[in-house]
Amino acid sequence: MRFNETEATERDARARTEARANAPARLLVFSSFVLLAALAAPAHVSAQQNGGAPAGTTARDPAATGKSAAELYAEAEGFVRRRYEQLAREGFRYEPKLAAQVEDELRALAARSAAELKARGQLSHADRFHLGRLLSLAAQSDEAVAAMREFLSAGGATAGRARAARFTVAFELARKNALDEAEAALADYLATPADAPAHDERFRLEIELARAARARMQIARAADHARAAFEAAGRLNSSAQLDAASRDEIFYRSAQAHADALAELKRTDEAIAALQELRRLAVSFPSADLYRRASLLLGRLVPAVGLMTDASDPLLRDAPEIEVADWIDQRPTTLKGERGRVVLLDFWATWCTPCLAALPHMRDWQSRFKERGLTIVAFTHYETTEGGRIVKTKREHDALKNFRRARRLPFGFAVAATNATSARYNVTTIPTAVLIDRRGRVRYLNVGSNEDDLKELEQMIERLLDEPAGGR
């Protein structure tokens, strides 16, 4: 989005708001990247199962620690998460160079730990298992595969460790682009009994196999593996409590890989359908950010006309409730209290130039559609902070009142003091418009305010107003 930088007051407001918004955004981005780092790692046993991992993030010389093989693996396996949590606390934002540095640190730590284990000479059966996983973390694929095959050939492994070893073999073969061997190893992995479904492991294997297939120019196989990864993402999301950024990333990565492969195969209709499915999911979550990203992908194939989810779509769910600290020139309400009406929930800010461009249109919609059942909730945030917390001040409250009156807006403002509502809708860019039908379900998302966006939004409002409320 673009910002108005013509006045010092608006620059100050922007700085305050970005400072407020970036802290949770950093945590979301880092949590997403921690998940992706985990998706590139071998199957793991928790730190508790391995005897605990150190709380610090510094990669110490393992030769000086005298740790067991399980402890060395636990230290390396938990390194990325601890490192990103530290960086988030220190105020760093995600950057590719920083990500590469953290990955290098992990590989170096894992390589040192693996070297120490090998230097010990005679290893137990369990030690060979942990050695194989350390070699995988160190990206030493050939040695990791050899170590895990030696572990499996010795026999006597528990079902859980056998499955984890076969996962590592399949993953590392895929990482080497040994596609036929990796697919055979995947079949072995899937045939191994498991105490519980490991949807994260299946996602990791399928997305890596999709990449390997594309690298070998086996595009049809890439499409099949990417689709399998997308289905695994769905199962993972249903069974785990993922944060919004992590959830969106696994669906986006797999859908993008699937659609790209289908498009390359000239199966354009199927590619479009795959991205429309991704947009349906984004509306159902709801996630404005995922919808925006999916629409960008779709726009490379066809004009990305807005997606209005059908009223009978089984993915539909109730819109997340809003948290409002203060109502300005509007009676307090809730989304539940607006059932029977169509709600336009607009995320905006006074300093956001594209947001201001949409206000005349919203004024017009309020005048034309209020009696037909439209409620506009103009949702913004207080920006003043004290002691790291957002606080309401009379100056800012009065400024919002004056802003509304100066522009003669026929609707009031809902003002929040936290990012809770924005996070529930995964709003990362403003303006973002969320349309909620008379039954209280999210049906449409829009990010932006150019003329085409606004015309489309108006059409969607009218379509929802024409629908009956239905029963609940």
Side-chain angles (χ1 to χ4, degrees):
M1 59 185 158
R2 297 178 293 111
F3 303 104
N4 185 346
E5 298 181 320
T6 59
E7 298 182 18
T9 55
E10 292 191 358
R11 288 199 301 269
D12 293 343
R14 181 186 62 182
R16 288 195 301 272
T17 302
E18 287 184 333
R20 169 186 56 76
N22 282 342
R26 278 194 299 269
L27 293 175
L28 286 175
V29 169
F30 276 118
S31 66
S32 175
F33 201 77
V34 165
L35 175 75
L36 296 182
L39 297 179
H44 66 276
V45 177
S46 71
Q48 291 179 337
Q49 291 172 304
N50 276 323
T57 60
T58 302
R60 296 175 294 170
D61 181 2
T65 66
K67 293 180 178 179
S68 69
E71 289 171 333
L72 289 173
Y73 174 74
E75 179 179 42
E77 188 273 331
F79 174 80
V80 169
R81 181 172 298 278
R82 296 192 306 273
R83 189 77 173 100
Y84 277 115
E85 287 173 351
Q86 175 191 354
L87 291 169
R89 288 193 301 269
E90 293 175 356
F92 287 93
R93 300 190 67 181
Y94 168 76
E95 294 179 359
K97 288 184 179 179
L98 180 60
Q101 176 184 323
V102 172
E103 289 300 305
D104 287 344
E105 291 172 2
L106 168 63
R107 292 190 187 99
L109 172 60
R112 289 196 299 271
S113 296
E116 183 196 352
L117 279 183
K118 288 188 287 186
R120 291 177 184 177
Q122 194 71 23
L123 296 180
S124 69
H125 191 230
D127 287 349
R128 286 198 294 272
F129 173 69
H130 294 302
L131 173 61
R133 297 198 297 175
L134 280 167
L135 290 167
S136 182
L137 285 176
Q140 297 176 15
S141 295
D142 289 334
E143 291 190 64
V145 170
M148 284 309 197
R149 283 177 168 166
E150 182 182 358
F151 169 77
L152 290 167
S153 66
T158 64
R161 287 192 171 180
R163 189 175 172 90
R166 291 189 174 100
F167 170 89
T168 300
V169 171
F171 184 87
E172 293 303 328
L173 288 171
R175 186 144 68 175
K176 292 172 55 183
N177 297 336
L179 186 58
D180 292 337
E181 287 185 84
E183 288 181 334
L186 170 64
D188 289 341
Y189 164 80
L190 294 175
T192 305
D195 294 333
H199 304 307
D200 58 335
E201 293 178 359
R202 183 65 184 274
F203 176 87
R204 284 178 271 181
L205 286 174
E206 297 290 359
I207 203 72
E208 190 64 23
L209 280 162
R211 185 208 56 76
R214 174 169 284 280
R216 298 294 297 271
M217 299 305 294
Q218 298 290 315
I219 307 304
R221 290 160 81 177
D224 290 342
H225 285 298
R227 179 64 195 182
F230 186 82
E231 292 170 353
R235 294 189 294 270
L236 175 58
N237 184 55
S238 297
S239 63
Q241 294 296 320
L242 301 179
D243 64 79
S246 300
R247 174 203 65 203
D248 288 1
E249 197 64 28
I250 60 175
F251 281 111
Y252 180 82
R253 286 183 67 192
S254 51
Q256 179 186 33
H258 188 214
D260 284 351
L262 291 171
E264 194 165 342
L265 293 167
K266 307 302 182 185
R267 293 156 58 182
T268 307
D269 288 346
E270 293 176 69
I272 292 170
L275 295 176
Q276 289 287 44
E277 183 177 2
L278 183 62
R279 295 211 297 172
R280 282 179 60 234
L281 279 175
V283 173
S284 74
F285 289 150
S287 172
D289 185 62
L290 181 60
Y291 185 87
R292 175 186 62 82
R293 296 167 73 192
S295 295
L296 289 173
L297 290 179
L298 185 61
R300 301 188 318 198
L301 300 174
V302 293
V305 177
L307 175 70
M308 170 71 79
T309 304
D310 188 84
S312 62
D313 195 310
L315 289 177
L316 287 177
R317 64 185 71 182
D318 290 347
E321 192 55 80
I322 57 177
E323 292 186 16
V324 181
D326 197 16
W327 294 91
I328 294 179
D329 294 338
Q330 181 171 321
R331 64 174 177 82
T333 189
T334 62
L335 296 183
K336 186 175 181 179
E338 296 296 325
R339 293 285 174 86
R341 297 180 64 83
V342 173
V343 176
L344 169 57
L345 178 58
D346 181 63
F347 292 86
W348 72 290
T350 58
W351 43 261
C352 165
T353 302
C355 300
L356 304 186
L359 290 179
H361 296 266
M362 293 172 62
R363 180 169 55 224
D364 176 58
W365 298 335
Q366 176 77 355
S367 300
R368 291 165 51 203
F369 300 137
K370 180 179 180 181
E371 297 305 316
R372 290 179 58 188
L374 177 67
T375 294
I376 294 177
V377 178
F379 194 92
T380 190
H381 291 83
Y382 283 125
E383 300 168 355
T384 304
T385 59
E386 289 182 4
R389 300 185 65 180
I390 305 297
V391 296
K392 170 187 174 181
T393 65
K394 185 177 185 303
R395 177 195 59 77
E396 193 171 359
H397 179 271
D398 290 347
L400 283 169
K401 287 177 71 75
N402 293 335
F403 179 94
R404 174 187 173 273
R405 291 171 182 173
R407 285 161 177 77
R408 300 179 180 178
L409 299 177
F411 49 84
F413 300 157
V415 192
T418 72
N419 283 307
T421 300
S422 297
R424 288 170 187 164
Y425 289 86
N426 204 16
V427 173
T428 59
T429 302
I430 56 174
T432 288
V434 180
L435 271 184
I436 301 166
D437 68 13
R438 296 181 189 272
R439 297 172 65 182
R441 306 168 306 177
V442 175
R443 296 284 299 282
Y444 174 80
L445 297 169
N446 180 276
V447 180
S449 66
N450 62 42
E451 285 301 314
D452 289 339
D453 291 330
L454 294 168
K455 287 178 182 177
E456 188 176 276
L457 180 55
E458 180 177 338
Q459 292 170 357
M460 298 302 181
I461 290 171
E462 293 201 73
R463 284 178 57 182
L464 287 187
L465 289 172
D466 287 340
E467 289 184 358
R472 285 305 295 264

